[in-house]
Amino acid sequence: MFAPAKWMLAAEAARRLGVSAKALRLYEEKGLLQPTRTDAGYRRYSSEDLRVAEDVVALRSLGLSLVQVARALKGDAAAADQALALREAELCAQFTAMQRASERIREMRNGLALGRTARAGELADALGAHGAAVSFELPWPWGGEQFTLAELAPLTYLVGPLGSGKTQLALRLSQALPDARYLSAQRLNSRPHPSERDLDLTADEAAAVERQVNWLREEGAVDLKPLRLLLGALEAQGGRQPLVIDLVEAGLSRSSQEALMPLLRRRLRTRMAPVIAMTRSSSILDLASIGPGEAIVYCPANQSVPFVVPPFVGAEGYEALVLCLASPEVRERLARQPAPSVRGRDSECLRSGHSRPQN
């Protein structure tokens, strides 16, 4: 609950709600929030505004479109019941998973009491500790250094400047992950990558794609063909295949990218296979919106070993990451600055003409 009669500006309200200021503006555009303005024109939110926003965020987290959220907030019983049914199904799935895990642990303990030895990896599985999720020698343009992700997040962003080798890293990740599918940046071409052919969607999976497309259309998405290809790859095989996406934003306008991200984040609660999304778009990777279950891997321009960047100011690689995700307008302005004004890792995303131009 929020303290009564307390006003908050957009940045503070967004932090309290766990969303971005961009999301609050979208809710306002859709008529869900009506913040007042200061004399200087800044939005300010009352405690009542924030209580409404809490409901919006909670309903959105269940996968309701903004149109459905608006209906629920207006007292539409069907929309409210749909939200409650989604939450009930989610809790039932979690309860069932916990029951199965508990039964497995009980069976293991009974076996140990009878003298049976645990098989390799069985203890780690039962305890939920899986060690290194993926480890391999880095391909060209690197020199064969070892790359290891101790834990693969449900949603991992792969970011780096031009010439950093991130496409080669994405391909290698798709080869290292069992049964992974690779979705290339050329997926809209007439000659797709082999892993993009024959998605073989079932009727249920195809229907799920269409529901998601309709949901995205309500959120402002307009690029339906590239979205269908992306959603089809996510839904194929029931979402049980890891998916590595080369340049998520390929073929997508900014509004389509912004609409897509809440849908991708809904997967974080579904225990589906992980997604590794290569991007240079601040609409896809909004650092203010990073939450649990998300991680960022950064590829430096000098072909040193890629590393995980924590999403907060001061972390190693954070400043370079911010520049990689800047809008085209910002990157163009920064590129006109004298070279000495951009130091160290910060300059990596502004360089061009690398000796090994492998993206």
Side-chain angles (χ1 to χ4, degrees), residues 57 90 98 201 219 252 308 340:
V57 172
E90 187 177 272
M98 291 175 68
L201 297 183
E219 299 295 307
L252 299 181
V308 175

Side-chain angles (χ1 to χ4, degrees), residues 37-304:
R37 300 270 182 161
T38 66
D39 292 340
Y42 295 106
R43 293 173 176 84
R44 64 176 189 175
Y45 298 83
S46 67
S47 56
E48 179 60 28
D49 292 328
L50 292 171
R51 279 191 286 269
V52 173
E54 278 187 310
D55 287 341
V56 174
V57 172
L59 292 167
R60 291 283 290 150
S61 71
L62 294 173
L64 269 67
S65 70
L66 290 177
V67 171
Q68 292 169 319
V69 169
R71 291 171 182 163
L73 293 180
K74 291 176 181 178
D76 185 312
D81 182 67
Q82 183 179 13
L84 293 171
L86 286 169
R87 181 56 177 162
E88 182 181 11
E90 187 177 272
L91 291 172
C92 286
Q94 292 172 1
F95 178 71
T96 301
M98 291 175 68
Q99 274 189 318
R100 289 174 179 168
S102 178
E103 290 169 0
R104 186 173 183 184
I105 289 172
R106 188 180 303 111
E107 290 172 0
M108 283 191 64
R109 293 187 65 192
N110 290 337
L112 292 172
L114 295 173
R116 184 176 70 81
T117 303
R119 295 188 299 273
E122 195 173 13
L123 277 174
D125 287 341
L127 296 172
H130 301 285
V134 62
S135 184
F136 51 79
E137 292 184 354
L138 286 166
W140 185 91
W142 290 278
E145 303 93 332
Q146 194 71 18
F147 173 76
T148 299
L149 281 177
E151 184 177 358
L152 187 59
L155 179 56
T156 299
Y157 304 94
L158 182 57
V159 184
L162 293 172
S164 64
K166 58 185 181 294
T167 297
Q168 293 304 312
L169 178 59
L171 278 166
R172 187 67 186 86
L173 281 165
S174 69
Q175 294 163 1
L177 294 170
D179 301 320
R181 184 183 296 275
Y182 178 73
L183 201 61
S184 75
Q186 289 74 40
R187 51 187 172 270
L188 298 179
N189 294 350
S190 58
R191 299 178 66 182
H193 189 274
S195 67
E196 296 163 23
R197 303 190 189 109
D198 303 323
L199 287 176
D200 292 329
L201 297 183
T202 66
D204 288 343
E205 290 165 357
V209 168
E210 287 308 309
R211 286 195 301 272
Q212 292 166 359
V213 167
N214 291 333
W215 190 90
L216 290 168
R217 186 188 287 115
E218 290 182 348
E219 299 295 307
V222 293
D223 309 290
L224 302 186
K225 179 182 177 181
L227 283 171
R228 279 195 174 90
L229 289 172
L230 182 57
L231 295 172
L234 287 165
E235 287 295 326
Q237 303 299 315
R240 294 186 299 273
Q241 287 181 306
L243 181 64
V244 181
I245 309 170
D246 182 354
L247 213 60
V248 181
E249 58 268 23
L252 299 181
S253 64
R254 178 171 296 186
S255 64
S256 296
Q257 294 174 41
E258 292 173 354
L260 174 67
M261 289 314 298
L263 189 148
L264 281 181
R265 288 193 168 102
R266 279 167 47 193
R267 290 175 55 92
L268 300 180
R269 301 194 307 272
T270 63
R271 297 180 180 271
M272 288 185 177
V275 172
I276 298 174
M278 192 173 82
T279 185
R280 296 190 70 204
S281 168
S282 57
S283 295
I284 294 294
L285 176 49
D286 183 348
L287 293 171
S289 300
I290 288 288
E294 299 175 67
I296 307 167
V297 174
Y298 181 73
C299 292
N302 59 4
Q303 274 80 55
S304 58

